[in-house]
């Protein structure tokens, strides 16, 4: 067994002592020096209460609905869709599978692209709508709330309410009540879609919209960013040809439409209504819009022709009334002249 080496218990060497001094003494000296150079707080800083911690980030306005929730994001998405889409078709679906949805969307995109190609071939300068036409499943309760906000909420009225004096008298307690502070979620000057003002303004209209009775159960929405009867007809020919009375695609022209996943999915779809420029159309009116020949240009030409025919008919009616009145007055004038003549004048005339 090797012998044990005893360490001396004498004083530490000088370099090690200096290292220990720097390790333990220098931080305290530095802290004292920094404390000595820091100025003392003023009287205003000591008496003034600290600023409250902001509940909302500066880039986000306070809202009645929490914007982090998925329901809030869907509400904002639906309100934007309703405001920017003048033509919407509502369909009821019955548990379509993902394969069926994929096949239906494929055939719908193919039919809409053919319409764009036909418009270009005719020489009309219109933007292509096929890439922007989509069919999607919506949450009916949130979509109904978005409809009420778009239809009935007017931010100008909320802005007028925010211009009231800072204090008002409560008719029950006969005491002055302060309005909500600016920057809180109860501030009436906040008029975005998730604000308290928008929620309170349309709450009493719940279930009173024209589409409220249809927004029940699984609903899919076909959104077209422009009122195009040609695209609407192509979409309805693919989605609901029997309900609208449009001819179904032939197997030779479109064999993909006759595939089993497409047919199984179309059997689970039912056309309910449409919303055109803010007005609700039933199935027959939707069929009429899709049956307009020549699209919006054809509708304008029909309107011009009807106005011209109406103007010509009105002109003929006015001219006929004037001519009949002229002949009546002339005949009456001749009768009066005959009565005023004496017997001698009548003999000379004869």
């Amino acid at each position: 067994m090797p012998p044990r080496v005893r360490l001396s218990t004498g004083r530490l060497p000088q370099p090690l002592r200096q290292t220990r001094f720097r390790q333990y003494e220098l931080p305290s000296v530095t802290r004292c020096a920094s404390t000595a150079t820091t100025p003392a707080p003023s009287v205003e800083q000591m008496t003034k209460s600290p600023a409250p911690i902001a509940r909302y980030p500066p880039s986000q306005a306070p809202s009645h609905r929490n914007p982090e929730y998925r329901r809030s994001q869907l509400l904002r998405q639906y309100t934007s869709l309703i405001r920017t889409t003048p033509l919407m078709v509502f369909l009821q679906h019955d548990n379509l599978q993902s394969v069926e949805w994929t096949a239906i969307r494929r055939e719908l995109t193919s039919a809409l692209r053919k319409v764009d190609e036909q418009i270009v071939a005719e020489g009309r300068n219109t933007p292509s709508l096929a890439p922007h036409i989509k069919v999607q499943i919506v949450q009916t309760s949130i979509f109904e709330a978005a409809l009420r906000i778009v239809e009935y909420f007017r931010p100008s009225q909320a802005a007028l309410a925010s211009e009231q004096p800072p204090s008002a008298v409560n008719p029950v307690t006969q005491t002055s009540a302060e309005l909500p502070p600016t920057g809180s979620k109860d501030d009436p000057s906040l008029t975005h879609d998730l604000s308290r003002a928008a929620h309170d303004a349309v709450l009493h209209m719940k279930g009173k919209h024209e589409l409220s009775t249809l927004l029940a159960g699984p609903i899919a929405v076909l959104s077209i960013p422009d009122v195009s009867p040609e695209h609407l007809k192509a979409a309805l020919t693919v989605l609901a040809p029997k309900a609208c009375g449009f001819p179904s695609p032939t197997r030779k022209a479109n064999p993909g439409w006759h595939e089993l996943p497409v047919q199984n999915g179309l059997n689970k779809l039912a056309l309910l209504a449409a919303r055109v420029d803010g007005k609700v159309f039933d199935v027959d009116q939707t069929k009429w819009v899709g049956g307009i020949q020549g699209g919006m240009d054809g509708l304008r030409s029909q309107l011009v022709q009807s106005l011209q025919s109406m103007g010509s008919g009105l002109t003929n009616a006015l001219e006929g009334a004037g001519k009949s009145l002229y002949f009546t007055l002339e005949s009456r004038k001749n009768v009066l002249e005959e009565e005023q003549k004496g017997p001698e004048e009548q003999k000379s005339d004869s």
Side-chain angles (χ1 to χ4, degrees), residues 67-82:
E68 298 178 356
Y69 292 163
R70 183 175 179 270
R71 294 175 60 87
S72 302
Q73 296 297 329
L74 287 177
L75 179 63
R76 296 177 62 183
Q77 178 183 351
Y78 293 159
T79 52
S80 177
L81 178 67
I82 295 170

Side-chain angles (χ1 to χ4, degrees), residues 84-95:
T84 58
T85 306
L87 179 55
M88 305 177 70
V89 180
F90 297 90
L91 304 165
Q92 187 175 16
H93 66 93
D94 186 13
N95 299 326

Side-chain angles (χ1 to χ4, degrees), residues 56-65 149 153-163 180-201:
Y56 304 95
S59 59
Q60 174 185 323
S63 58
H64 171 69
R65 305 173 186 268
I149 291 175
F153 178 54
R154 298 295 178 265
S156 58
Q157 299 178 0
L160 292 176
S162 64
E163 295 178 0
T182 304
S184 64
K185 64 180 182 179
D186 296 329
D187 187 5
S189 62
L190 299 175
T191 57
H192 54 88
D193 294 339
L194 300 180
S195 61
R196 177 66 63 86
H199 175 268
D200 296 341

